Structures are given as structure tokens and as C-alpha cells.
Amino acid sequence: MSTLQTVRAATDVVSCLATAAGTPNSTMDETSDEPPTSAVLLDDCHFSQVIFNNVEKFYVPGGDITCYYTLTNNIAPRGKDWVGIFRVGWKTTREYYTFMWAPLPSGVSGDTAVQQQIQFKAYYLPKDDEYYQFCYVDQDGVVRGASVPFQFRAETEDDILVVTTQGEVEEIELQNKNLLKENEELKESCTSLQKQNMDLQEQLKKTQELQSGFESLKSNTEKLELELNSLKKENKHLKELDDCREAELHQLKEQIQNVTSEKECLETRLKTALDHMDQLQSQVLNYEKEVENLARLDHDKTEQLESLKEENRQLRTTVAEQGEHKEELERVLENLKGTEASLSLFLQNEQHQNRDLMKELEEKKHLFQILQAKKNETDKENQELREENALLRRLSQTADASFFSPSQHQIPPPAMGSLVFGNPYYASGANLEARAADVASIRKCPMCDEVFPEDIDTSQYEAHVQSHLLECPLCSETFEKSNKQS
């Protein structure tokens, strides 16, 4: 091994163990107790009692890492021993970044080496790209083993893994101490040679031997300067590489920040879109409810309209039946025109009945118009209308029976109190015989009370009575001229 390689190896070891001190940032949450630490210097530590295995040069950030180590037979593990992560350059065990309690080996004698492992969670690991190393600290706060340095960053193709055993590290440390002693000796020799050089310059003419020695020392000095320049160039090159890596790291950090900002923007847009979708869904549900309500309302109105149409049909049927009843009454009236008293009685009864029927018909028409204008008529009013229609039908049937039954003088008519408007034919039926007896001798107009002689023609008498009446061109209903409306 050349002097340059020896100096370089010693520099690497020293940089791993004694560069600028780091600052502890966090502890693991496995327990609330602080680990035992001390202010013991590096010279008092025993790094070979615990050996760390399979330590990577780089660990990818964001993932858990597993620390593998071997307990040699030179250490007796205790309950408060712990494994910490230290930034390279630490001075005391108080400068740990994070730690985990070391598990005690079970079922193994103290004369054999024991393989152990601990897992560090990603949340508690460092986030920068500084160099760190594992250290095993015993219950007294003394370091019993340390790993090679590593970084938390993504591994690149340019990274080269250099594995150094603990024996080589100790040998390099020994060589480093020897080189330091030699360096001190060389410095002292250089000082002495400089003094001798001054003396030789003064005594140049006195002695040739001192001059040759001075030239030899000068040549050695030039060699040392050349080696020093070479080391400076190499150091400069390493600094340039470090600057390049720092620039790349800065660029990667900027890219991560850009990606993070884009992710936040996308998450905001997604949240806005989801909120808008929820609003649209609520509006669709409201529209569906409104459509259902409108459909239900339309169905109810359709049912009400059908009910009104059915009642209208029933009313029309009732009116038609009343028209037929009127025609039958007219035929009865024509059959009874032979006698004056009978004609007068039947005309009066017909007029009274026509007036009553017209009043009832007007009431029905008015009620029908109200039902058409107010489609939300209550069931109670509809029931009353049906009851009233039933009463009208019974009245019509009673009137038909009283006019057309051949035994109408023998059948007792219904009581006056059982009908709404009374029985207009009750009195005429009771006195029909008496009035028929007076027909032959008296012919009196029932409208104007004019008396006609007995020998007058029946057609003339009927024409006179008919002149007092008006016939409706639509329903063939007969009215008195005195009731004509303006």
C-alpha cells in the first residue's frame, strides 16, 4: 500500500468517525424512557464488540429499514442496551437521531456469537441525505459497535459499494497513527533541515557535504509538494463531484415539490367535481320527487274528473227520464182532454209539477256547474247530491205509478211528509171522480177562468187552453206565458 493510499484510507475512517457533530432530532415511540447516554469520548469506546452486518450504502427514503448485527462473546447484553442512528461526526452518545431498544437474546450461552436484528420505521428516519451510521450503546452509555456510514437517498448507477471489515478498519487506524507520527517527525525534520539549510547557505563554501545533504532534502521536499498538489487536485475533484450531486439533489427536490403541487391541484379539482356531482344528484332526486308528486296529483285529478263525468251522466240520465216522464204526462193530459174539470185539474197539476221539476232541474244544473268549477268538492257534498238524486228518482217513479196505474184510485198514495216536495198527484187522484162528474156541465179555462158553453167544440176549448202555454224548443217542456222571462 502506497503512502497516498494509506493517507486516503485514514482520511475516510476519520471522516466517518470524527467529522462535524450532528444534532439529534427525534426518538422512537417504542417507550417514553430516554436511552442511557454518556459523554464518553471515542477513544474510550470498543467498536469491535458488536459487528453490524449487511449495511447498505444507500437506503431508499420512505421505507422501513432492518438493522442486522452480531453480538460477540466479548459483550454481555443487558436490558437497557439500545441501537441508535447517529449522523457521522458525532462526539458523544447523546447525539443520536433516533433509537430502538436492543432485544435480549434468548436460549444462547455467552460463549457464542448471536445474530440479532431491529427494524426502524420510515416515519422516524432522517429525511436528508447526510451520512449516518448504526451504533450499539450499552446500558452504561458506552458505544460497543459502529457500522459503516450510509445515506438515505435513491441509489444511482454511479454509486460503488466499498466494504471494509472491522480488522481493516483497525489496521487503517493503526497506519493512520503511524502516519501522524511520521508526519510530526517530518515536520520536525523539515524545521531542522530549514535551519540546516540556512546554516549550509552561510557555510556553503565551507563544506560540500552539507550542500549535497541540502539538495537531497530539497528533492524530498519537492516530492512531498508534488504529492500535496496531487492530494489537493483530488480533493478539488471530489468537491466538484459533491457539488454536482448537490445540484442533482436540489433538482430532484424541485421536481418532487412540483409533483406535490400538481397532486394538490388535482385533489382540489377532484373534490370540486365530487361536490358538483353530489349537488347534481340531489337536484335529480328533487326533480324525481316533483315528477312523482305531479303524477300523483294528475292521477287524483283524473279520478275526480271521472267521478264528475259519472255524476254528470247520471244527471243527464235523470233529466232524460224526467223528459220521458213529461211526455207520458202529456199523453195522459191528451187522454183527459174530454172533460173540462179533469183537464183543468190535470193542467194545474202539470203546471205545478213542471214548475217543481224546473226548479229542481235548475238546482241540479247549478249544482253541476259548481261541481265542474270546483273539482275538489268533498265527499260529503257528493253523498248529499247522490241522496238527493235518489230522492228525485223515487219521486219520478212515484209520479209515474200514480198516472199510469189502472188502479190508481184504490192504491193509497205515499204520505206527504215522506217526499221532499210532496205528492202533487195526491189531491187530484182523490177528487178525480168528483171533478169528472162536473165536466159535462162546466167548461172553465184553468188559466183565465173563462167559462165556455156546453155546446162548444172540445177542439176549440183545447186550442184556447193551449194559447196560454209555451213549449220549450230544446226539451219540449211546457210553461205558462205568465212565467215567461224577459
Side-chain angles (χ1 to χ4, degrees):
M1 181 181 294
S2 63
T3 305
L4 178 60
Q5 293 177 345
T6 303
V7 172
R8 188 178 303 171
T11 304
D12 292 339
V13 173
V14 172
S15 64
C16 293
L17 300 177
T19 57
T23 303
N25 294 326
S26 65
T27 60
M28 302 297 288
D29 62 345
E30 184 181 33
T31 178
S32 60
D33 297 335
E34 292 291 330
T37 59
S38 66
V40 179
L41 298 178
L42 295 176
D43 295 337
D44 298 328
C45 298
H46 306 278
F47 295 97
S48 61
Q49 294 181 356
V50 178
I51 300 173
F52 289 87
N53 307 318
N54 301 326
V55 179
E56 302 290 344
K57 188 174 182 180
F58 303 102
Y59 288 98
V60 179
D64 301 340
I65 64 173
T66 303
C67 173
Y68 301 91
Y69 59 93
T70 302
L71 299 174
T72 64
N73 54 3
N74 296 324
I75 182 173
R78 290 181 289 179
K80 288 293 185 177
D81 293 356
W82 53 280
V83 178
I85 296 179
F86 292 77
R87 188 158 61 178
V88 173
W90 57 274
K91 299 297 184 182
T92 67
T93 55
R94 297 192 183 96
E95 298 174 4
Y96 63 90
Y97 184 93
T98 184
F99 79 99
M100 291 287 291
W101 295 110
L104 291 174
S106 59
V108 180
S109 62
D111 298 333
T112 59
V114 180
Q115 300 290 334
Q116 296 284 84
Q117 66 179 30
I118 295 178
Q119 187 178 50
F120 289 86
K121 297 296 181 181
Y123 178 80
Y124 301 100
L125 297 177
K127 303 299 186 294
D128 54 15
D129 57 349
E130 296 290 335
Y131 283 90
Y132 293 86
Q133 62 182 153
F134 299 113
C135 291
Y136 187 99
V137 184
D138 63 4
Q139 185 170 312
D140 299 327
V142 179
V143 178
R144 298 299 182 178
S147 70
V148 295
F150 55 85
Q151 288 180 289
F152 291 94
R153 66 181 179 87
E155 186 174 359
T156 60
E157 295 179 358
D158 297 333
D159 297 325
I160 299 174
L161 179 63
V162 177
V163 180
T164 304
T165 63
Q166 187 68 27
E168 292 178 352
V169 171
E170 294 176 356
E171 183 179 358
I172 290 172
E173 289 178 352
L174 182 59
Q175 291 178 358
N176 185 31
K177 292 180 181 179
N178 294 331
L179 288 173
L180 289 175
K181 291 180 180 179
E182 291 179 359
N183 190 20
E184 293 295 329
E185 293 176 355
L186 287 174
K187 287 181 179 179
E188 293 176 357
S189 298
C190 184
T191 304
S192 175
L193 289 174
Q194 287 178 354
K195 292 180 179 180
Q196 291 178 6
N197 188 22
M198 296 295 295
D199 295 338
L200 288 173
Q201 286 181 357
E202 293 176 358
Q203 297 177 3
L204 181 59
K205 295 179 181 180
K206 297 180 179 179
T207 174
Q208 292 294 328
E209 294 179 357
L210 292 175
Q211 186 177 2
S212 61
F214 174 75
E215 290 177 355
S216 176
L217 290 174
K218 186 177 180 180
S219 62
N220 291 333
T221 304
E222 290 176 356
K223 290 180 181 180
L224 291 174
E225 288 179 353
L226 291 174
E227 291 182 358
L228 181 61
N229 291 331
S230 176
L231 290 173
K232 287 181 179 180
K233 290 180 180 179
E234 187 175 357
N235 188 19
K236 182 178 180 181
H237 178 66
L238 291 174
K239 287 182 178 179
E240 291 177 354
L241 289 176
D242 187 49
D243 293 338
C244 293
R245 290 178 180 176
E246 288 181 355
E248 292 176 356
L249 180 61
H250 182 69
Q251 185 178 3
L252 289 174
K253 288 181 179 179
E254 291 180 351
Q255 292 178 358
I256 291 173
Q257 291 177 355
N258 294 332
V259 170
T260 304
S261 62
E262 291 178 359
K263 179 183 177 182
E264 292 176 352
C265 293
L266 291 175
E267 289 178 351
T268 304
R269 292 175 59 186
L270 178 61
K271 184 178 180 181
T272 304
L274 291 175
D275 294 339
H276 184 61
M277 184 179 296
D278 293 337
Q279 293 177 0
L280 291 177
Q281 289 179 353
S282 62
Q283 291 179 1
V284 169
L285 292 176
N286 293 332
Y287 290 153
E288 290 178 353
K289 291 180 180 179
E290 291 180 0
V291 169
E292 290 178 358
N293 294 333
L294 291 175
R296 192 182 300 107
L297 182 61
D298 183 66
H299 181 69
D300 295 340
K301 289 183 177 180
T302 304
E303 291 181 353
Q304 292 178 2
L305 183 60
E306 292 296 331
S307 176
L308 291 175
K309 286 182 179 179
E310 180 64 23
E311 293 178 2
N312 187 13
R313 186 183 63 78
Q314 294 178 0
L315 289 174
R316 289 180 183 273
T317 304
T318 304
V319 171
E321 292 176 355
Q322 291 176 356
E324 294 176 357
H325 177 59
K326 174 189 170 184
E327 293 176 358
E328 293 176 357
L329 291 176
E330 288 178 354
R331 288 195 296 270
V332 171
L333 181 62
E334 290 176 359
N335 294 330
L336 297 177
K337 283 182 179 181
T339 60
E340 181 181 3
S342 174
L343 179 61
S344 176
L345 178 61
F346 280 114
L347 285 175
Q348 290 178 0
N349 292 333
E350 186 68 20
Q351 289 173 357
H352 288 302
Q353 186 176 10
N354 287 338
R355 284 194 294 271
D356 294 338
L357 290 175
M358 286 303 298
K359 289 180 181 179
E360 293 179 10
L361 183 60
E362 289 297 327
E363 291 177 358
K364 298 300 180 183
K365 289 181 179 180
H366 181 66
L367 181 60
F368 178 70
Q369 292 175 357
I370 292 175
L371 290 174
Q372 281 185 330
K374 299 179 180 180
K375 293 183 179 181
N376 296 324
E377 188 67 29
T378 61
D379 295 338
K380 182 178 179 180
E381 293 177 355
N382 291 333
Q383 187 65 28
E384 292 176 357
L385 181 59
R386 293 188 185 95
E387 293 176 357
E388 191 171 355
N389 288 336
L391 291 175
L392 287 175
R393 293 189 187 97
R394 288 197 297 273
L395 177 61
S396 298
Q397 293 173 1
T398 305
D400 292 342
S402 64
F403 278 107
F404 294 103
S405 178
S407 60
Q408 60 183 351
H409 297 90
Q410 288 77 18
I411 299 174
M416 293 296 290
S418 63
L419 297 177
V420 177
F421 300 99
N423 190 349
Y425 308 107
Y426 178 74
S428 62
N431 300 324
L432 185 58
E433 267 185 21
R435 296 190 180 187
D438 297 334
V439 171
S441 59
I442 299 175
R443 286 188 177 181
K444 186 177 181 180
C445 178
M447 303 298 178
C448 60
D449 295 332
E450 183 178 353
V451 179
F452 292 89
E454 297 178 358
D455 57 350
I456 193 171
D457 191 9
T458 305
S459 60
Q460 294 179 359
Y461 174 76
E462 292 178 355
H464 174 77
V465 175
Q466 193 69 26
S467 64
H468 291 286
L469 301 176
L470 292 176
E471 185 175 357
C472 178
L474 299 178
C475 61
S476 301
E477 187 77 21
T478 304
F479 305 93
E480 294 182 15
K481 284 186 178 181
S482 60
N483 295 334
K484 182 179 179 182
Q485 296 178 357
S486 59

